[in-house]
Amino acid sequence: MTHNKFYFNSDDFHHKQPTSADIILRQQLEDSISRYFYEGCDRTIQNLLSNCRWYVTTRANAMTLVIECPDQVTNWRVLQQIVPMGTLLNSIISSAKIRVCPPDSQGIPFEMRVDELAVYRDWAG
């Protein structure tokens, strides 16, 4: 499997109303990135993701992997895997972010950019 990096530039995003073709293309891009990411994960991370609601979005001027955790234990396990997930995501899209959301009213989401991985390697180790 070859790794292609995609770069998003703020100039690539238009501030006009998207057409239906734009919406379809964005959905296809998000689906393709999601599938590529999931297939690159090891079984431990795949099992974790299967217990969560997760998706890729490109709407906030950056590609973001959003992981919504059903409980605090799963949230903690996902956070423990943030470095390997970030490393894989960074190999796909260097400007991506990961947002890990705990259950409603049980904390605030944790968000990191994949280009900040070095900061978290020791923390998550």
Side-chain angles (χ1 to χ4, degrees), residues 53-83:
R53 178 176 182 260
W54 68 277
Y55 54 94
V56 169
T57 181
T58 56
R59 291 189 178 96
N61 288 341
M63 205 281 319
T64 304
L65 168 64
V66 180
I67 304 170
E68 298 175 356
C69 301
D71 55 59
Q72 288 290 13
V73 172
T74 304
N75 188 71
W76 178 243
R77 288 181 179 148
V78 168
L79 289 172
Q80 288 177 311
Q81 296 297 322
I82 198 116
V83 169

Side-chain angles (χ1 to χ4, degrees), residues 109-121:
F110 173 80
E111 188 170 290
M112 67 167 265
R113 296 189 334 244
V114 296
D115 62 359
E116 299 175 321
L117 277 171
V119 173
Y120 298 99
R121 287 190 203 285

Side-chain angles (χ1 to χ4, degrees), residues 13-60:
F13 295 96
H14 304 287
H15 297 290
K16 59 185 176 184
Q17 188 69 25
T19 65
S20 52
D22 292 332
I23 293 167
I24 291 168
L25 287 171
R26 181 173 54 218
Q27 288 172 338
Q28 290 175 340
L29 174 64
E30 291 170 355
D31 290 347
S32 294
I33 293 169
S34 296
R35 192 169 30 261
Y36 192 75
F37 171 77
Y38 185 80
E39 290 171 359
C41 292
D42 65 22
R43 182 145 337 262
T44 300
I45 294 173
Q46 288 180 349
N47 288 339
L48 269 174
L49 291 173
S50 71
N51 291 319
C52 302
R53 178 176 182 260
W54 68 277
Y55 54 94
V56 169
T57 181
T58 56
R59 291 189 178 96

